[in-house]
Amino acid sequence: MNNRRLLKIVLKRVLAAIPLMFGITLLSFMIMRLAPGDPVMMFTDPTITIQDMAQLRQNLGLDQPLVIQYFAWLKQVLQGNLGVSFISGKPVLEAILERLPATLLLSISSLVMILLITFPLGLFSGYFKGSIFDDTVTVFTFVGLSIPTFWLGLVLILLFSLELNWFPTAGFLDPYLFDAGLFAQAGSVLHHLCLPLLTIVIGGIAGLTRYYRFGIIGILNQDYIQAARARGISENRLLTRHAVKNAILPIITILGLSLPGLIGGSFVIEYIFSWPGMGQLGVNAVFSRDYPIIMGTILMSSTLIILGNLLADIVYVWVDPRISLSDA
Amino acid sequence: MNKYYYWVLVMGLSALMGCSSSVNKSTDILQMRLGGEPSVLNPILSTDVPSSEVGGLIFDGLFHVNSDLQLEANLITTYNVSEDHLVYTFSLKPDVKWHDGHPFTSEDVVFTFNKILDPSTNTVRRSNYIINQKPILFEATGPLEVTVSLPQPFSPFLLHMGMGILPKHLLEGVDINTATFNRQPVGLGPFKFHSWHSSQFVRLKRNEDYHRGEVRVAEIIQKIIPDQNTALVSLERGEIDRAGIPAKDVPRYRDQPELDIYEYYDLVYTYLGFNLKHPIFSNTQIRQAIAYALDRQIMIDSVLKGMGQEAHLPSSPLLWSYPEDDRIKKYAYNPEKSRAILAQEGFVLNAKTGMLEKEGVPFKFTIITNKGNKDREKICQLIQQFLKEVGIHVDIQLMEWSAFLKVVNAYKDPKEYDAVVLGWSLGLDPDLYAIWHSSQYPRGFNFIGYQNPQVDRLIEQGRQALQQSTRREIYAQAYQAITQDAGYVFLYIPQSIVGMNKRVKGLSKPGPAGLMNRIEEIYLVE
């Protein structure tokens, strides 16, 4: 019975997402087109004439009114076709899918590592609030947070690649391993993964560590913890059984919220480490005004945002009996 | 950035650990860098540098530009021109084969140029083959003979015949804009396409049957490395064999034992352009006064670390069309002369503000340039200082590229800007039409609104005259008028600096046509 109610709510949410998606795509289409420039105007080259640009604009359908362009795009999407890139002529879906593996590898591994590091770090910092350990963690996480990514990435390349020769400078798969076996290729990719991963993790641990620290401090001040203490429960049991359980809850929200970020990629990291991910695809598409690619990535990430929130809500209901989904 | 400090830190650490560097070094594989993902590997569609860096190795044209920047017969044995200069007959090289073994014929040549002329092709090269609204006619008059008829004589024409040729047998009946061919091309060039891993690398293998002779390097891997600093580290580590070096980093790379540094002047120039429809800048005297107030050598020394030369006209000394030195009007730095001209034009110095005024209105204007180009930003600041010395107040506005283009390309007269700092690249042909002909305003690249009937006439003559000596004279006159009018203050021509691994041999003489002009002669040692 409970499951049926849940299903009904999920269905309702999905249905409500349809007009939401329509609104998101329409708005982003309009905003994108309000920005000056178009894919043709970006060529400022004296060898290219105005006539050629006008013809190209017409070929790409950019001379049509905006609303008509939007509905042409929408019609295409409803038929399961995301269109082709203005710049490369490649199908948008293909362009996105070929970037996905590298993006997911980097984002999932960094998320997992950040969670594994920050949860215990935050927990102990909060529990030993004001201790030397807490202060040290605070200082180091803030240093990590304050270092600009592009600078950290370059320093890591100079140190670990140029000077120590431990890792390759940049890239994803060594071109020389093109014909090698799966294990050799996987090894090469992992080898290339280390530096960008390290860069992201150093920059990323501060926020969540602080988050967990405050979380655990709040929980430890709750009445039920005080009551448990009064009942003489050992500190060990108190922390692992009572406090951690509640502190773990926000991870669900974080995971739900980070779902779209997982496929978004990081432009700066990808740029420095020549990582073939979505961040480069998206940002370059914005620079060159490659509208079909921009719309494709927006469609994809907004779907994931909606999905991520829904999943987080459902999982919450499962793990925390205090929360229930309302079907209002 | 305190680059110096972390360098010291890294040096210290490495001294402790003992440095080493060894990368896969096969003498069969040349490793190059691409600054970005190529868009389309199709010479008639592509406009970006990475695409032409890959495509240039895969495709060949009827002509080739040699390291002296002259046209050389490539896929042709000879060509004849009719007496009225309207009909060209090209005899193609026999026994040339596409990478898939299919024979190369005149049909391929005609197909390629007709594809460019086809309005449904997403190309921006069409106008190169249309003269006065009439398309050039391409006909296959024999299996190895192509006849080309021009509606009227047009001297830049032969250069456009250097376009890479496409295989008809693979592209006929296919939508060329979205064809998979553009990602798996087949050409006539020295290298065959092997594979392309998006945003990672492009791999090419030598064409064993190349029409110009044996290709010495077995394979080329072009690695896509967007970041300049990462590319420099890759060059140092031997992961790539060639990379451009920014002027500020040259001292560090000069002493690298495994690198050779090459320098040459690029076919580009940077300028300060005035909106000639602006009430102040419509006056030639004032523009000249500003030209005299700028010290170009200081700009070159501070912005380019000395790696550049002064520009005086829209051409480069590397081109055949560059005039004799004594025919060039140079505005040598002379602030006294500048002040004198401005005083003559009725500007008086306000002792209180230290600025020039005319009828109580201070002389001030705004220079716009695109954000993110550090050299141009610095140039603007230097111009600001130089002009302050003669009493002119300059504001600088940095604009995002597309917003910038929107202002200068706006289809209106007058346009809404005072002056602009920008650069142009120079073609091999001296044709000045796109930038200096009055028909290219307000729509076109003559966005300063330059209108000189004498220059218009010279430009039109220059496009029709066929003798190089005649054209040289025509353009010398056009350059004289253009510099006299001072619509632009020409600033400098920068140097390109290339670091090349010493293992790469068979290089051509450094120049804008590249160090590997005739890639088939390149080989690797060690």
Side-chain angles (χ1 to χ4, degrees), chain B residues 180-463:
Chain B
T180 47
F181 175 90
N182 300 337
R183 297 185 282 286
Q184 298 159 13
V186 170
L188 296 163
F191 284 86
K192 289 183 184 184
F193 176 82
H194 179 273
S195 55
W196 175 4
H197 282 233
S198 179
S199 221
Q200 297 183 55
F201 55 85
V202 178
R203 196 169 168 209
L204 307 173
K205 293 208 164 177
R206 126 176 103 202
N207 177 1
E208 303 287 352
D209 201 15
Y210 186 48
H211 69 92
R212 271 195 328 230
E214 192 202 346
V215 183
R216 303 188 66 176
V217 173
E219 203 172 294
I220 294 182
I221 287 180
Q222 294 177 300
K223 301 181 180 177
I224 298 164
I225 306 176
D227 186 63
Q228 171 83 48
N229 294 307
T230 309
L232 288 175
V233 176
S234 299
L235 177 71
E236 248 181 280
R237 275 171 57 85
E239 293 172 342
I240 51 174
D241 293 315
R242 180 185 74 177
I245 298 178
K248 65 177 167 56
D249 290 324
V250 171
R252 221 182 81 202
Y253 288 92
R254 265 210 212 287
D255 314 325
Q256 297 272 347
E258 71 280 9
L259 291 181
D260 280 325
I261 306 284
Y262 296 91
E263 292 152 25
Y264 55 84
Y265 290 108
D266 247 327
L267 288 180
V268 296
Y269 64 88
T270 298
Y271 63 89
L272 165 69
F274 301 107
N275 182 354
L276 302 180
K277 307 285 174 170
H278 185 277
I280 296 179
F281 296 132
S282 55
N283 182 337
T284 310
Q285 299 295 320
I286 291 176
R287 301 196 298 264
Q288 289 183 344
I290 290 177
Y292 282 120
L294 304 178
D295 188 341
R296 296 176 179 80
Q297 195 54 50
I298 286 190
M299 294 185 182
I300 292 166
D301 290 343
S302 63
V303 177
L304 305 176
K305 308 283 170 235
M307 320 217 55
Q309 64 184 159
E310 295 184 16
H312 302 286
L313 62 145
S315 181
S316 156
L318 296 173
L319 298 170
W320 58 262
S321 47
Y322 200 79
E324 298 85 8
D325 201 56
D326 58 344
R327 299 185 66 177
I328 305 165
K329 183 169 172 68
K330 297 175 182 173
Y331 294 89
Y333 178 53
N334 190 344
E336 284 316 311
K337 192 164 181 176
S338 176
R339 284 193 196 97
I341 297 172
L342 290 167
Q344 224 169 45
E345 291 302 315
F347 286 99
V348 284
L349 201 69
N350 180 331
K352 220 185 278 171
T353 59
M355 305 311 289
L356 289 175
E357 281 180 2
K358 190 174 185 176
E359 288 147 15
V361 184
F363 189 170
K364 61 177 193 178
F365 68 98
T366 305
I367 299 178
I368 58 171
T369 194
N370 60 314
K371 202 183 223 155
N373 187 323
K374 291 286 167 222
D375 288 356
R376 288 185 195 152
E377 290 176 16
K378 282 186 225 156
I379 283 298
C380 287
Q381 288 162 4
L382 286 171
I383 292 174
Q384 192 177 37
Q385 281 175 23
F386 283 125
L387 293 186
K388 195 178 169 190
E389 276 169 34
V390 295
I392 302 172
H393 179 81
V394 174
D395 289 310
I396 301 166
Q397 194 184 353
L398 304 175
M399 306 177 83
E400 199 255 326
W401 182 235
S402 51
F404 173 80
L405 289 182
K406 200 179 172 187
V407 170
V408 295
N409 284 347
Y411 184 41
K412 58 172 147 189
D413 180 18
K415 296 182 193 259
E416 286 167 352
Y417 71 95
D418 304 339
V420 55
V421 165
L422 201 64
W424 283 126
S425 54
L426 292 158
L428 295 181
D429 191 273
D431 186 21
L432 295 165
Y433 199 85
I435 298 172
W436 299 96
H437 196 274
S438 61
S439 65
Q440 303 302 302
Y441 178 87
R443 190 164 270 177
F445 293 120
N446 179 7
F447 46 68
I448 63 165
Y450 183 70
Q451 284 157 325
N452 182 333
Q454 185 209 349
V455 171
D456 280 357
R457 221 172 20 249
L458 289 167
I459 290 174
E460 286 154 24
Q461 283 171 12
R463 291 184 127 189

Side-chain angles (χ1 to χ4, degrees), chain A residues 210-250:
Chain A
R210 303 300 293 167
Y211 187 81
Y212 291 134
R213 181 178 173 276
F214 286 122
I216 205 80
I217 291 172
I219 288 164
L220 289 176
N221 284 332
Q222 296 275 323
D223 291 344
Y224 70 92
I225 296 285
Q226 301 297 328
R229 260 203 191 112
R231 286 203 309 274
I233 291 173
S234 75
E235 283 296 301
N236 221 336
R237 194 180 153 90
L238 190 86
L239 198 63
T240 52
R241 281 295 182 79
H242 298 259
V244 167
K245 239 185 188 173
N246 286 301
I248 244 166
L249 270 180

